[in-house]
Amino acid sequence: MKNTDTIVAISTANGNAAVGIIRVSGPKTDIISKHFFGKVEPRYAKYVKIKDGNNNVIDDAIVIRYVAPSSYTGEDMLEIQMHGNPILLKKFQDILCHEYCRLAKPGEFTERAYLNNKLDLVQAEAVIDLINSSNYDASLAAQRSLQGKFSNTLTEIGDKILYMRTLLESSINFPEDEIPDESSKKYKNELDSLTKKVEYVIKTAKHGLKLNDQTKISILGKPNVGKSTLSNCLLGEQASIVSAIPGTTRDIVKNDLSLGDNVVTLFDTAGLRKTKDDIESKGIDLSIKSSNFSDLILYVVDDEVGIDEIDMKFLTSNKNECWIIINKIDKTGKVAETGTYKGYKYFNLSADTELGVELLKGELMSIRNSDHEKGATLARERHVESLKACLKNLYNASKYNDNQQLDLIAEELRRSHLHLQNILGGDVDEELLDEIFSNFCIGK
Ligand SMILES: Nc1nc2c(ncn2[C@@H]2O[C@H](COP(=O)(O)OP(=O)(O)OP(=O)(O)O)[C@@H](O)[C@H]2O)c(=O)[nH]1
Ligand SMILES: [Mg+2]
């Protein structure tokens, strides 16, 4: 697709910084380059002076010229690296807009890259996911999608479907060459392997959907066991009030906790007990709610009291992962250690003296690592929906294969292929494209 407009945008974040970058893309790039910077060799950094209409030097800058199709957008492009002052950047952008360009819409550079076949739609989505990823693992997963890992998987499945369609076409056109039972068996094997593959991709895509969610960790337990002391200790600040009076924490205290490369949300909650106090009881309701939406519960007990039936009842009734924190070992003299108790990971520690807390932190840091090892890719709801639709067609195809209705199998396969193509951007409508690219920042 040819774009007649030349677009410009400040691609760096707003604010004062060492460097600020203006990007230009489109057919007038060459004219702009010659007019403002003289001869610029493609892909060489050239030091230039930028002037306004009155010949005042606005800034000195580095300019890089890219020639179509070897650029991000696939068009002629310029990247002008100025000093990172928004006033200077805006001034030069205005000068360019006055005669040569219009301001780019959000994501328009990437949209042009997509329209010029530099990226498929999954990769374009991965660009924004990479920029917005909320943790390191999510950024790695987005990068894998950007490199084409997810797209390649979809293309491989699509190729297999196409191969099956050609087999079917020949069976339909030359039925005399076929032995019905044998071909039905052959198609069954192909369809089974395709269905398994798509089921697996849906599973990993659903997993990828969650990667961008910040992990939620709640600290729960009876009153006075040291939940707030543990929360403060992990955060390294006095975020919650600590006191020897049971029932101190009434509300949920929510904070961001940095764990290595990741940030998780930590919730300190009201101690669980039966109470007639209306406010405390509302707080306890919130504690229970937080235990339901958390990815991990740190269930704290006081080592002087030990784990009783009420604690076990909470642990066994909870469907989310729970680790038991046996706190206050400075009083009981136990050693700091971790192990398993009745199937639950436990940690002996003292939140007050911080004995054993490093051990817990170390384990908390590794809670996302499994995603990283699996080589996960980021996914979106629309991917999962299309994959499910593709799977439904494959199930239907298997059903028709049982009755040897070859033309109906072929039709189901055609539809399943379309759903896969839509994920990659095959036949998507403009509304969807607008929705995807409008979530980008300007200049990307
Ligand atoms: N000796 C010792 N005391 C602790 C430890 N952790 C907490 N405490 C004390 O236990 C008391 C209760 O601590 P909190 O952190 O307020 O307990 P909590 O579980 O948040 O209590 P509620 O908010 O009332 O549910 C305070 O006096 C703390 O100083 C510990 O590891 N060792
Ligand atoms: Mg508390």
Side-chain angles (χ1 to χ4, degrees):
M1 166 177 168
K2 277 264 164 286
N3 279 291
T4 47
D5 290 350
T6 300
I7 51 171
V8 62
I10 301 167
S11 290
T12 36
N14 195 15
N16 298 85
V19 177
I21 297 177
I22 290 182
R23 270 177 154 182
V24 176
S25 181
K28 287 194 183 156
T29 302
D30 222 21
I31 301 171
I32 294 170
S33 177
K34 282 201 184 97
H35 178 80
F36 288 95
F37 314 122
K39 187 171 165 38
V40 182
E41 286 294 326
R43 295 178 168 264
Y44 276 91
K46 182 179 179 187
Y47 174 74
V48 295
K49 301 258 185 227
I50 296 178
K51 292 179 183 169
D52 67 9
N54 299 321
N55 223 18
N56 296 313
V57 174
I58 307 173
D59 198 4
D60 46 353
I62 296 290
V63 62
I64 302 173
R65 187 164 76 93
Y66 301 89
V67 180
S70 305
S71 74
Y72 181 70
T73 56
E75 302 174 330
D76 286 343
M77 276 188 84
L78 276 182
E79 225 167 67
I80 306 147
Q81 303 176 8
M82 297 171 59
H83 288 100
N85 180 337
I87 300 167
L88 298 178
L89 291 161
K90 168 113 188 2
K91 181 73 196 175
F92 190 49
Q93 180 180 258
D94 288 348
I95 292 172
L96 291 173
C97 282
H98 185 69
E99 206 169 327
Y100 304 97
C101 310
R102 69 162 167 80
L103 279 184
K105 290 183 284 184
E108 198 171 357
F109 290 89
T110 309
E111 186 172 10
R112 288 187 177 196
Y114 163 69
L115 294 171
N116 290 321
N117 296 320
K118 302 290 286 188
L119 302 165
D120 63 40
L121 206 50
V122 166
Q123 289 172 308
E125 288 169 318
V127 172
I128 188 168
D129 288 338
L130 183 69
I131 293 171
N132 293 336
S133 45
S134 65
N135 58 71
Y136 185 57
D137 287 332
S139 75
L140 286 180
Q143 186 57 253
R144 284 186 206 106
S145 293
L146 182 56
Q147 299 299 319
K149 190 171 177 245
F150 188 41
S151 308
N152 290 345
T153 309
L154 299 178
T155 310
E156 271 169 33
I157 297 174
D159 288 348
K160 282 203 175 122
I161 295 178
L162 280 183
Y163 169 70
M164 246 201 103
R165 284 179 65 192
T166 47
L167 290 184
L168 274 162
E169 291 301 327
S170 78
S171 298
I172 293 168
N173 293 333
F174 308 102
E176 63 280 4
D177 296 347
E178 297 286 323
I179 305 164
D181 277 352
E182 269 183 26
S183 54
S184 172
K185 212 164 141 196
K186 181 173 69 185
Y187 296 141
K188 185 182 177 334
N189 289 342
E190 293 284 344
L191 281 169
D192 283 354
S193 124
L194 267 173
T195 339
K196 272 203 193 99
K197 183 91 187 156
V198 176
E199 279 168 348
Y200 177 76
V201 177
I202 291 177
K203 208 170 110 194
T204 51
K206 276 186 180 165
H207 174 75
L209 270 182
K210 286 207 282 182
L211 267 181
N212 239 335
D213 294 345
Q214 200 157 303
T215 303
K216 298 180 190 75
I217 302 177
S218 285
I219 306 180
L220 279 106
K222 290 185 197 149
N224 233 23
V225 291
K227 300 179 296 298
S228 301
T229 310
L230 178 65
S231 171
N232 291 347
C233 175
L234 290 170
L235 293 166
E237 60 172 308
Q238 300 301 307
S240 301
I241 298 171
V242 166
S243 95
I245 305 161
T248 305
T249 307
R250 301 268 175 124
D251 235 325
I252 288 204
V253 185
K254 177 181 167 190
N255 279 288
D256 276 347
L257 167 66
S258 293
L259 290 169
D261 295 322
N262 293 324
V263 178
V264 303
T265 313
L266 185 70
F267 298 91
D268 176 24
T269 65
L272 305 169
R273 67 171 170 183
K274 284 208 169 79
T275 175
K276 291 204 167 84
D277 184 317
D278 196 33
I279 299 169
E280 191 182 354
S281 153
K282 282 186 176 142
I284 292 170
D285 287 347
L286 289 177
S287 305
I288 301 289
K289 264 194 194 141
S290 88
S291 74
N292 292 330
F293 65 60
S294 290
D295 302 288
L296 174 67
I297 293 160
L298 300 179
Y299 188 83
V300 186
V301 294
D302 182 337
D303 196 26
E304 282 197 314
V305 180
I307 303 173
D308 65 15
E309 267 175 32
I310 300 174
D311 298 317
M312 281 318 296
K313 201 169 157 198
F314 175 87
L315 289 167
T316 50
S317 65
N318 212 291
K319 62 179 185 346
N320 295 324
E321 184 169 5
C322 295
W323 293 357
I324 304 173
I325 308 297
I326 301 171
N327 189 30
K328 307 195 187 182
I329 58 165
D330 55 302
K331 279 187 170 174
T332 57
K334 268 195 196 146
V335 286
E337 63 171 16
T338 174
T340 317
Y341 175 79
K342 295 194 176 171
Y344 296 94
K345 196 190 270 268
Y346 77 83
F347 293 85
N348 284 350
L349 56 81
S350 164
D352 195 37
T353 66
E354 301 196 6
L355 178 72
V357 173
E358 279 307 310
L359 205 61
L360 172 65
K361 269 193 182 170
E363 287 290 313
L364 287 174
M365 277 188 204
S366 62
I367 49 179
R368 270 206 185 262
N369 279 357
S370 54
D371 300 327
H372 169 61
E373 281 158 18
K374 276 181 212 144
T377 50
L378 274 191
R380 295 177 167 222
E381 207 62 60
R382 79 167 190 96
H383 304 163
V384 176
E385 286 314 310
S386 292
L387 282 164
K388 280 186 185 164
C390 163
L391 185 63
K392 200 170 159 213
N393 292 128
L394 292 176
Y395 286 149
N396 287 344
S398 297
K399 211 168 59 197
Y400 292 132
N401 186 46
D402 293 342
N403 306 326
Q404 293 175 17
Q405 293 167 286
L406 298 190
D407 46 346
L408 293 180
I409 307 175
E411 176 57 15
E412 292 296 338
L413 288 179
R414 189 188 66 79
R415 289 185 192 188
S416 70
H417 193 239
L418 274 185
H419 290 302
L420 284 183
Q421 279 183 313
N422 283 349
I423 302 179
L424 294 165
D427 191 23
V428 289
D429 54 37
E430 223 158 274
E431 234 170 77
L432 176 66
L433 289 185
D434 282 351
E435 193 193 310
I436 290 171
F437 290 106
S438 64
N439 285 317
F440 275 62
C441 31
I442 289 182
K444 189 64 213 173

